[in-house]
Amino acid sequence: MVLGLQHFDDRVGDENGGPRLDSDAGEELMLVERGVAIALGSRPPDSPGTLYITTRRVIWLSDADKGNGYAVDFLSVCLHAVSRDPEAYSLPCIYTQIETEDGENEESESSDSESHGDLELSNVTEMRLIPSDPGQLDTLFGIFCQCAELNPEPQEEEEEENSWFFGSEEMADDGSDSEWQLSEHHANPIGYANGDHDLACTVHELRINDQRFEDAEEVESASRNGHQFSG
Amino acid sequence: MLFFSYFKELVGKEVTVELKNDLAIRGILHSVDQYLNIKLENIRVVDQDKYPHMLSVRNCFIRGSVVRYVQLPPDGVDIDILHDATRREARGP
């Protein structure tokens, strides 16, 4: 999976067909909206085309130029919103921000080359979808929300819940809650569960209940009164 | 699920979300999901001169994975409760 906007020209059937989807991977069409213009960065809108929203990505295919199209994975869409104020943009549209490969998301003019020159897609950080029917904006916004939820970040190897860092002695619950601290510099502390909570429980009990940790019995009664070491 | 539960308590309050691209957006927290995707209402971009394009946007959806910080309202945070909750979460079931 690549971050950012991509060219797309893989149509099904003839040049009037819709986009070829990755059905094997379970990609399905959620919505088709005709008469949608697309504006990348600060460029003027591209001639009307058709918007295809799938379970994984947004695809726009030009009506006029059959070989022209764009696609972006929902994983790359960091923000989307409905824009209606003519002062912000002349046409009501869905405004989206796209996360690009290098992680930079510059809003400056220079990031998407000249407005009428060659377009460097990997630098496009803003995309507007302008339906010919502004009444569709709320529906489009809602579909974007749904699809974003369908595309969470891929699961990492280690679940986040298990990567907590514990202190050592402070694991014991002796009632003094205010002394509980997170220690950031521990090598191998006792009670360091590292996600294995049964182990922590066992060690916890061992330390508290084991007879071996009790004080040794006093042998002589005299030693209780004076706490001085003979010297 | 700690922060999911915590943010659900903040729905209706004003927060400022700072994205990893440095954009900061202030708005009323409308909803949050388990991936910490955030929907904000009545938004204002914090540094409007730098990001003029979003001036008029009223509501927006922010992908959880691009959020760097969520700035909480001072009166929206009960430190003791949050402290207890994080400790319970750390101890596990």
Side-chain angles (χ1 to χ4, degrees), chain B residues 29-92:
Chain B
L29 183 64
H30 171 272
S31 55
V32 62
D33 71 7
Q34 57 172 321
Y35 306 112
L36 304 189
N37 294 322
I38 289 173
K39 275 194 206 169
L40 294 179
E41 287 181 326
N42 297 326
I43 70 170
R44 277 207 328 272
V45 176
V46 170
D47 192 350
Q48 293 199 343
D49 294 333
K50 226 172 138 197
Y51 300 102
H53 325 278
M54 292 190 60
L55 263 176
S56 72
V57 168
R58 198 163 303 137
N59 309 332
C60 73
F61 175 105
I62 301 171
R63 193 180 163 79
S65 60
V66 305
V67 173
R68 180 188 289 147
Y69 298 127
V70 177
Q71 294 168 21
L72 309 172
D75 61 349
V77 184
D78 186 319
I79 305 242
D80 292 332
I81 290 184
L82 188 57
H83 196 180
D84 286 347
T86 51
R87 196 169 70 245
R88 263 183 271 118
E89 181 92 352
R91 282 218 191 100

Side-chain angles (χ1 to χ4, degrees), chain A residues 114-149:
Chain A
E114 296 160 15
S115 297
H116 301 285
D118 284 338
L119 178 59
E120 179 55 62
L121 287 189
S122 60
N123 287 339
V124 171
T125 54
E126 292 173 305
M127 174 179 77
R128 288 177 172 82
L129 298 168
I130 309 149
S132 46
D133 175 11
Q136 285 294 89
L137 283 175
D138 289 332
T139 304
L140 288 173
F141 179 82
I143 295 272
F144 265 74
C145 292
Q146 281 181 44
C147 291
E149 289 157 22

